Amino acid sequence: MHQATPSYYHIAVEPAPERVGQVQRIVAAHTRYWGLERLTPSTIRGLGVLLELAVEGRPDSRIEVETWWNGQHLINAVSYEARACGAARGFPQRCSAQIAALSDGWGSCTQEARRIVWFSLRSRAGVREVLVPKLPVPDASEALQLPRSALPVAAPESVPVTTGTAS
């Protein structure tokens, strides 16, 4: 049975059109390694849209790509300098429509002069990726087992059973 292990990958690149394909191939390799082949095409298409948007900006800014797998969702985020694409005009309509069509959920925010755009892909039941419920970590009192009462042990037939006190 395939068990989902939480995973994370981060890469920072200089903005250039040739970097878009490189980053897509790197992230695709990671998602395949994590056993998420079914989510790979949507992931690389969504990252391509976001990376092309970030590359349109100034060449001196840096682009960061992060990918998380938590056992149920594959979350991809791209952050870049907000001034690169004009923070005043907001997130372009053409990009938001494409990301919304490719993903199960997405969002955008600006933090410390950087725009962060993320999208999420949910693993479906009945497919290779198994949804693993997250159990809370037990604290010390829950982890300790109470001693079991002594169970009577059946004696072998060849040894006679006697009762009495030992002196």
Side-chain angles (χ1 to χ4, degrees):
M1 176 183 241
H2 180 268
Q3 292 294 326
T5 304
S7 303
Y8 173 78
Y9 181 72
H10 175 266
I11 186 171
V13 296
E14 299 300 321
E18 62 271 7
R19 297 281 189 205
V20 173
Q22 291 173 348
V23 172
Q24 285 177 309
R25 287 188 296 276
I26 291 169
V27 172
H30 277 82
T31 57
R32 287 185 190 113
Y33 178 74
W34 296 339
L36 305 171
E37 292 87 2
R38 193 185 66 73
L39 300 178
T40 302
S42 296
T43 299
I44 59 174
R45 280 196 304 268
L47 285 176
V49 169
L50 297 178
L51 289 168
E52 288 171 2
L53 175 68
V55 167
E56 289 175 2
R58 296 183 333 188
D60 59 341
S61 65
R62 197 162 96 152
I63 301 170
E64 295 186 29
V65 177
E66 295 176 280
T67 302
W68 297 271
W69 167 243
N70 66 9
Q72 294 181 350
H73 297 273
L74 181 64
I75 304 164
N76 301 281
V78 175
S79 67
Y80 54 91
E81 197 167 327
R83 291 176 283 155
C85 294
R89 26 172 221 168
F91 193 64
Q93 186 72 24
R94 64 179 169 84
C95 294
S96 62
Q98 290 175 338
I99 295 299
L102 289 171
S103 65
D104 293 314
W106 71 278
S108 172
C109 68
T110 303
Q111 182 179 15
E112 298 177 9
R114 292 189 67 81
R115 177 171 299 276
I116 302 167
V117 184
W118 59 269
F119 65 95
S120 172
L121 300 167
R122 189 176 192 292
S123 176
R124 303 287 194 257
V127 184
R128 185 165 176 229
E129 302 94 21
V130 178
L131 298 179
V132 179
K134 293 191 176 193
L135 299 175
V137 178
D139 60 7
S141 64
E142 291 177 338
L144 298 176
Q145 298 289 329
L146 294 175
R148 295 182 181 176
S149 61
L151 298 175
V153 179
E157 293 177 9
S158 61
V159 178
V161 178
T162 59
T163 59
T165 59
S167 50

